[in-house]
């Protein structure tokens, strides 16, 4: 059955954070009619988004903002007060009256969460199914504190705030028919802390055709080190120590470290070349709600060294090609072991096979089957 689907992105600051909703739009448009509705987009990324989106997708952009970065006050306008959500609901209702939607997907970090509740109060003749695809845990708490809170180590002054957030987020999210799973960790936060159920269908994916094994055959051995989420001085000191102990590294990302060469921002092709030819990828992070960089590394056949905290601790604990370290000695030992062992193509293929469940074709097939069942059998 061919469905009519709306995918909502309230605000597009840059393309990097929107690859998943744009990929969903492109892939779902192969079998269904897809409207991609963007409330506001920064002009500098407008052409890049248009080039990324398939011609099959009906792209609707409501407003174009001249500027970069986030619009101020972003959280109030797009997450909490519901004014943008109300405007989007009116746009959706207008389309829905003449060409009804079967499903509305909201793929965000929390923006757009009022839309289902608003639309269900509009007394539509046919109500679409609403799917929330969260790209982060609920807002309101520093996400790095969630590990402690999940272990029930909650300070007295936090209890009242968490209780208030629980009421707020349950009210915001109650209009959704289904909330998908960003990660095991994020689902635990939704369910244990906010008492909001998720449906257990994972949505994170990777383009398996683009992220494939591409070993160039060079003789240089190194550890690939992304610095995109490198904020802790402690993590920076770890990298400096590795350099002092003779560990060859290739750094890339916006964070510079004094005395070390960094390639800066890299394209997807450059990223795949760097991690695809590394002995291992060292992923140090401040906050991570899933572990996209580990996924990208494993998909190109390269093992991962990372920290046992937040989402990666749960998401990758059963993957034998992900090595967790607790202190510098364990980190140094892991780096030396990976540098000592040359990975054959066959071994890299085994690494890649460990993440096949995240290949776009598999994730989207599971989601599409689930969506069809819910939209058709319960309509």
């Amino acid at each position: 059955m061919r469905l009519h689907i709306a995918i909502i992105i309230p605000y597009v600051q840059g393309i990097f954070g929107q690859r998943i909703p744009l990929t969903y739009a492109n892939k779902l448009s192969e079998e269904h009619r897809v409207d991609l509705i963007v409330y506001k987009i920064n002009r500098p990324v407008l052409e890049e988004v248009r080039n990324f989106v398939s011609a099959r997708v009906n792209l609707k952009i409501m407003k174009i903002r001249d500027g970069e970065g986030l619009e101020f006050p972003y959280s109030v306008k797009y997450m909490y007060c519901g004014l943008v959500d109300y405007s989007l609901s009116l746009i959706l209702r207008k389309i829905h009256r003449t060409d009804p939607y079967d499903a509305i997907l909201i793929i965000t970090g929390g923006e757009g969460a009022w839309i289902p509740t608003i639309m269900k109060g509009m007394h539509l003749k046919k109500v679409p199914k609403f799917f929330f695809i969260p790209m982060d845990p609920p807002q309101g708490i520093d996400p790095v504190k969630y590990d402690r809170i999940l272990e029930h180590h909650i300070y007295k002054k936090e209890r009242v705030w968490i209780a208030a957030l629980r009421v707020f987020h349950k009210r915001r999210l109650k209009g959704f028919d289904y909330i998908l799973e960003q990660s095991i960790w994020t689902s635990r936060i939704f369910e244990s802390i906010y008492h909001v159920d998720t449906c257990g269908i994972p949505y994170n994916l990777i383009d398996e055709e683009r992220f494939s094994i591409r070993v160039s055959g060079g003789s240089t051995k190194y550890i690939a080190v992304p610095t995109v989420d490198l904020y802790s001085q402690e993590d920076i000191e770890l990298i400096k120590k590795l350099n002092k102990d003779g560990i060859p590294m290739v750094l890339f990302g916006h964070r510079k470290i004094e005395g070390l060469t960094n390639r800066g921002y890299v394209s997807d092709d450059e990223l795949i070349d760097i991690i695809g030819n590394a002995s291992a990828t060292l992923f140090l992070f401040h906050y991570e709600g899933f572990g996209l960089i580990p996924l990208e590394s494993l998909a190109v056949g390269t093992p991962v060294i990372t920290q046992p905290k937040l989402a990666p601790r749960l998401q990758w604990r059963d993957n034998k090609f992900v090595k967790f370290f607790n202190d510098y000695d364990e980190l140094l030992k892991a780096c030396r072991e990976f540098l000592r062992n040359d990975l054959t193509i066959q071994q890299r293929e085994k690494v890649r096979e460990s993440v096949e469940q995240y290949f776009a074709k598999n994730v989207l097939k599971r989601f599409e089957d689930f969506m069809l069942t819910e939209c058709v059998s319960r309509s």
Side-chain angles (χ1 to χ4, degrees):
M1 178 179 175
R2 186 172 167 83
L3 302 179
H4 187 200
I5 302 167
I7 295 178
I8 311 301
I9 308 179
Y11 190 87
V12 177
Q13 174 192 3
I15 196 167
F16 179 77
Q18 304 299 338
R19 288 189 184 276
I20 287 179
L22 297 181
T23 299
Y24 267 72
N26 286 344
K27 297 293 185 181
L28 290 173
S29 69
E30 293 174 3
E31 301 292 337
H32 307 281
R33 289 192 299 128
V34 175
D35 294 344
L36 178 60
I37 300 175
V38 176
Y39 181 76
K40 188 175 286 188
I41 186 171
N42 288 352
R43 190 178 296 278
V45 297
L46 178 60
E47 201 59 36
E48 192 176 3
V49 168
R50 282 177 171 159
N51 290 336
F52 191 98
V53 173
S54 166
R56 298 184 304 269
V57 176
N58 182 17
L59 177 61
K60 298 175 182 286
I61 296 174
M62 303 298 114
K63 297 183 179 182
I64 299 173
R65 174 175 176 256
D66 291 313
E68 298 181 356
L70 289 176
E71 185 179 19
F72 180 82
Y74 183 79
S75 294
V76 173
K77 188 171 182 180
Y78 287 87
M79 290 198 177
Y80 300 128
C81 73
L83 290 177
V84 170
D85 292 5
Y86 184 72
S87 299
L88 280 165
S89 297
L90 293 177
I91 293 165
L92 288 164
R93 182 180 67 175
K94 185 177 180 180
I95 300 169
H96 184 76
R97 280 176 170 170
T98 57
D99 190 7
Y101 287 114
D102 298 292
I104 295 178
L105 280 57
I106 297 173
I107 309 176
T108 69
E111 305 92 328
W114 291 107
I115 291 173
T117 300
I118 294 170
M119 290 192 70
K120 286 181 177 180
M122 290 177 170
H123 307 294
L124 304 171
K125 287 184 179 180
K126 179 189 175 184
V127 180
K129 296 295 182 183
F130 290 94
F131 297 82
F132 182 40
I133 302 180
M135 299 180 73
D136 281 308
Q139 303 289 319
I141 293 177
D142 181 351
V144 301
K145 296 179 180 178
Y146 274 128
D147 268 358
R148 171 173 56 79
I149 294 170
L150 283 170
E151 296 297 325
H152 305 291
H153 298 242
I154 305 171
Y155 302 136
K156 286 184 178 180
K157 62 183 179 181
E158 291 176 325
R159 293 186 185 277
V160 174
W161 180 239
I162 290 171
L165 285 174
R166 184 179 297 134
V167 172
F168 174 73
H169 286 302
K170 285 191 76 170
R171 188 178 175 192
R172 279 179 87 213
L173 299 169
K174 70 178 182 180
F176 285 101
D177 298 289
Y178 313 100
I179 298 176
L180 273 67
E181 180 181 284
Q182 180 197 22
S183 64
I184 299 168
W185 181 75
T186 303
S187 288
R188 285 191 181 179
I189 291 169
F190 271 99
E191 294 170 3
S192 299
I193 298 174
Y194 296 103
H195 301 172
V196 174
D197 292 334
T198 61
C199 66
I201 303 294
Y203 75 80
N204 266 303
L205 51 74
I206 191 164
D207 186 338
E208 67 274 14
E209 294 177 3
R210 188 165 185 76
F211 283 83
S212 57
I213 298 173
R214 301 188 197 175
V215 179
S216 63
S219 58
T220 304
K221 293 184 178 183
Y222 62 86
I223 304 294
V225 184
T227 66
V228 65
D229 197 26
L230 197 62
Y231 295 101
S232 162
Q233 188 59 40
E234 184 179 345
D235 288 345
I236 292 170
E237 290 303 317
L238 288 177
I239 293 174
K240 288 182 176 180
K241 279 186 178 181
L242 289 174
N243 182 59
K244 187 178 288 188
D245 283 328
I247 299 298
M249 293 176 285
V250 173
L251 278 63
F252 60 96
H254 74 281
R255 185 63 186 262
K256 309 294 183 183
I257 298 178
E258 186 179 354
L260 292 173
T261 301
N262 187 316
R263 296 194 185 181
Y265 285 104
V266 294
S267 67
D268 276 357
D269 285 336
E270 290 171 319
L271 167 68
I272 293 166
D273 180 65
I274 292 170
I275 61 177
N277 287 283
S279 298
T281 297
L282 172 58
F283 180 51
L284 303 175
F285 59 94
H286 174 69
Y287 162 71
E288 179 55 56
F290 171 69
L292 185 58
I293 289 175
L295 174 57
E296 291 171 340
S297 181
L298 295 167
V300 299
T302 300
V304 174
I305 308 168
T306 192
Q307 297 154 305
K309 63 180 185 179
L310 306 182
R313 176 175 61 90
L314 295 177
Q315 201 67 33
W316 303 108
R317 63 185 174 184
D318 296 327
N319 190 303
K320 65 182 180 180
F321 302 107
V322 177
K323 177 76 173 177
F324 292 102
F325 70 91
N326 294 293
D327 54 38
Y328 178 71
D329 288 340
E330 289 184 7
L331 170 60
L332 179 61
K333 181 182 178 182
C335 289
R336 284 174 171 167
E337 284 179 357
F338 282 121
L339 287 166
R340 201 162 40 237
N341 300 325
D342 285 325
L343 286 171
T344 65
I345 292 295
Q346 290 75 21
Q347 287 172 321
R348 287 190 179 273
E349 285 173 351
K350 287 290 185 185
V351 175
R352 177 176 167 82
E353 286 172 8
S354 72
V355 292
E356 278 186 347
Q357 69 267 34
Y358 297 106
F359 287 179
K361 63 181 180 182
N362 297 327
V363 172
L364 286 163
K365 178 66 167 62
R366 286 195 300 268
F367 172 68
E368 188 177 9
D369 288 348
F370 175 73
M371 182 174 59
L372 281 167
T373 299
E374 300 306 315
C375 289
V376 176
S377 67
R378 302 192 184 187
S379 60

